[in-house]
Amino acid sequence: MKVHLRFLDRYLTLWIFLAMITGIGIGVVFPDIANYIDAVSVGTTNIPLALGLLIMMYPPLTKVDYSLLPDIVRDKKSLFVSLLLNWIIGPTLMFVLAIVFLHSQPEYMIGLLCIGIARCIAMVIVWNDLAGGSREYAAVLIALNSIFQLIMYSAYIWFFVTVLPSAIGLGEFSVDVPMNAVAESVGIYLGIPFIAGFLTRYILVKRRGLEWYNHRFVPIISPFTLYALLGTIVLMFSLKGDAILALPFDVIRIAIPLILYFVLMFFSSFFLNKTLGISRKNNLAIAFTATGNNFELAIAVTIAVFGLHSPQAFTGVIGPLVEVPVLILLVKISHYLTKRYYSS
């Protein structure tokens, strides 16, 4: 069966640009919008924004079938390669690129690292299906990454942002990050949707069946991630004010290491898997899982920790803006590579 991108997914880059422009327009027409936003806050938490971020994280976690996790143990080689790519090579590569391209702008550097550490659990389903990878194996990897992120994300940010730069003699690049705030935001914006998604799937599948769940419930709930993402972008850009003229240059500055990251991760993953004799379908599932990132989590954490109109949160928004067109191109390249390097 041929898989196509949904209308929303196919033009996501366009929607993000339009959301940015809409936000800028709102900020120009209503220059006091920041006061209205602050009026619906409790402490440092803006209530509408927090609800939007939770809605953004919830749909992907309703799709994860954690019952498949035991299956991955049978293929120890693929498991090892996937963990290596996702939790060692991926974050390390993003760290190197962040240091090389954004060392003079530590706020953007932190935002980039927040993206690199957040492993993909949502859009990878789309990329894997379009490339013809194993849907079952991708589902297992997504379940594994969901659990790893819940446990390890805070520690990884602390290590790559605060500890590692000093350890390798780059102390001037290290930045103190409020780890309590990071752990709290991960607990809220990943932990709550994680539990809600798990319970939703368990209860509805038990009551209505897997067929109804996958073909009726999931298509209804899925678009809300993008709705919430676009709403968050509109809100962020409505607060940019007079700094808006500098943004096009900042977008390019952030986009360059992101593009390099996606390309390098995909090709290194694909050819490593091929060298190790991993099957075509599993190769594609591993490669796209390692290449994509959970920009929803990165945006939620950077907004919660550093603020709605912080440079770190702005970097998080650039993630999907760049990822979507690059991954679509890599899907097309994957068809060529599999025809050339796999006989069936």
Side-chain angles (χ1 to χ4, degrees):
M1 181 178 67
K2 191 172 182 180
V3 180
H4 298 279
L5 273 172
R6 292 180 305 157
F7 181 74
L8 276 173
D9 295 328
R10 187 183 303 118
Y11 299 106
L12 180 56
T13 299
L14 173 62
W15 307 144
I16 292 174
F17 269 121
L18 291 177
M20 290 177 174
I21 294 170
T22 301
I24 294 169
I26 292 173
V28 171
V29 176
F30 303 102
D32 294 329
I33 189 171
N35 296 328
Y36 295 106
I37 293 173
D38 290 338
V40 284
S41 299
V42 176
T44 59
T45 302
N46 179 260
I47 302 303
L49 178 62
L51 290 174
L53 293 173
L54 288 170
I55 292 170
M56 185 169 63
M57 289 298 301
Y58 170 67
L61 291 162
T62 63
K63 304 174 186 177
V64 179
D65 187 355
Y66 297 98
S67 67
L68 295 172
L69 277 175
D71 296 341
I72 201 171
V73 179
R74 292 198 293 268
D75 190 352
K76 291 183 173 59
K77 181 169 63 176
S78 296
L79 171 62
F80 171 78
V81 172
S82 180
L83 290 175
L84 176 69
L85 289 166
N86 276 285
W87 296 99
I88 303 296
I89 294 177
T92 302
L93 175 60
M94 190 67 92
F95 173 81
V96 173
L97 292 171
I99 290 292
V100 170
F101 287 94
L102 297 172
H103 60 270
S104 62
Q105 296 171 296
E107 295 89 354
Y108 288 157
M109 187 182 75
I110 293 173
L112 202 66
L113 288 170
C114 288
I115 295 172
I117 296 167
R119 313 315 299 164
C120 195
I121 64 171
M123 286 297 287
V124 67
I125 297 172
V126 176
W127 311 132
N128 178 71
D129 281 357
L130 289 171
S134 169
R135 184 175 297 181
E136 294 76 17
Y137 200 76
V140 172
L141 296 179
I142 290 167
L144 191 66
N145 281 340
S146 299
I147 294 172
F148 261 72
Q149 279 183 125
L150 192 60
I151 299 171
M152 299 298 296
Y153 190 79
S154 301
Y156 261 58
I157 288 182
W158 170 75
F159 177 74
F160 279 99
V161 175
T162 302
V163 176
L164 187 57
S166 297
I168 62 176
L170 299 172
E172 68 272 23
F173 299 146
S174 67
V175 179
D176 288 328
V177 176
M179 293 316 302
N180 289 340
V182 174
E184 180 181 332
S185 63
V186 171
I188 293 172
Y189 297 112
L190 182 57
I192 293 175
F194 181 94
I195 294 171
F198 178 86
L199 291 176
T200 298
R201 183 179 184 90
Y202 176 79
I203 293 170
L204 291 183
V205 169
K206 190 173 182 179
R207 291 185 176 180
R208 303 297 297 272
L210 187 61
E211 183 75 13
W212 177 90
Y213 186 85
N214 286 334
H215 293 91
R216 296 293 297 275
F217 177 76
V218 168
I220 291 173
I221 199 71
S222 293
F224 283 91
T225 290
L226 299 183
Y227 299 153
L229 170 64
L230 295 175
T232 300
I233 292 171
V234 169
L235 194 57
M236 288 177 63
F237 276 78
S238 69
L239 301 174
K240 286 297 176 181
D242 56 7
I244 204 66
L245 292 178
L247 291 180
F249 302 102
D250 289 350
V251 169
I252 295 171
R253 195 172 290 118
I254 295 165
I256 292 172
L258 278 171
I259 293 171
L260 288 172
Y261 172 84
F262 294 135
V263 171
L264 289 172
M265 279 302 297
F266 175 77
F267 281 101
S268 61
S269 300
F270 182 89
F271 286 109
L272 175 61
N273 294 333
K274 181 66 176 69
T275 301
L276 293 173
I278 293 173
S279 68
R280 178 183 67 86
K281 286 183 173 291
N282 281 6
N283 184 345
L284 291 169
I286 294 171
F288 280 104
T289 304
T291 302
N293 291 95
N294 185 356
F295 52 78
E296 298 97 340
L297 177 61
I299 292 171
V301 169
T302 51
I303 288 177
V305 176
F306 302 104
L308 179 60
H309 48 285
S310 66
Q312 293 89 341
F314 174 69
T315 306
V317 169
I318 305 305
L321 180 68
V322 175
E323 179 175 331
V324 173
V326 174
L327 267 291
I328 289 175
L329 177 61
L330 290 175
V331 166
K332 295 182 183 299
I333 292 173
S334 73
H335 292 303
Y336 166 78
L337 292 176
T338 52
K339 287 179 181 178
R340 179 172 180 178
Y341 292 101
Y342 286 93
S343 58
S344 59

